């Protein structure tokens, strides 16, 4: 194999290089990489819910035994019933939901 040139060539080579370049390319590659990222893009605790399809934590419960969740609007929260029903509940005026303590707190 040959060492890379100091400047880009006028046309692409027939075979890819064995090692990645030291700096990013000027344009995106034609295909995605084959390897997934090392870390998840989000976790269930980072999620917000609003009782719509895909954002309903109640049926089934997103976390076993947990019946209160963050709403996508910080001034509301989601409450699940034991039967799997989902309710959006407003926090009192000037309060916002804090999922860590599972209650509405001062803003």
């Amino acid at each position: 194999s040959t060492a890379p040139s100091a400047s880009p060539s006028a046309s692409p080579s027939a075979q890819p290089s064995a090692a990645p370049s030291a700096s990013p390319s000027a344009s995106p590659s034609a295909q995605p990489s084959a390897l997934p990222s090392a870390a998840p893009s989000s976790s269930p605790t980072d999620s917000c819910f609003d009782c719509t399809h895909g954002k309903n934590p109640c049926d089934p419960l997103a976390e076993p035994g947990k019946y209160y969740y963050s709403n996508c609007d910080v001034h509301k929260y989601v409450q699940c019933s034991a039967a799997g029903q989902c309710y959006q509940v407003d926090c009192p005026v000037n309060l916002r939901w804090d999922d860590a303590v599972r209650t509405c707190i001062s803003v």
Side-chain angles (χ1 to χ4, degrees):
S1 110
T2 60
S5 61
S7 60
S9 60
S11 61
S13 60
Q15 297 293 322
S17 61
S21 62
S23 61
S25 62
S27 61
S29 60
Q31 297 292 321
S33 64
L35 300 174
S37 61
S41 57
S42 65
S43 66
T45 56
D46 294 334
S47 298
C48 69
F49 300 97
D50 63 11
C51 297
T52 61
H53 182 69
K55 291 211 172 258
N56 180 348
C58 301
D59 189 23
L61 288 174
E63 293 181 40
K66 184 176 177 184
Y67 291 88
Y68 298 92
Y69 294 89
S70 294
N71 189 281
C72 297
D73 176 341
V74 298
H75 300 286
K76 297 180 180 186
Y77 62 95
V78 170
Q79 181 176 356
C80 300
S81 73
Q85 294 168 307
C86 187
Y87 301 96
Q88 293 188 81
V89 183
D90 292 317
C91 286
V93 176
N94 296 325
L95 299 181
R96 68 171 179 81
W97 179 255
D98 185 327
D99 204 46
V101 292
R102 295 185 187 164
T103 193
C104 295
I105 61 169
S106 296
V107 176

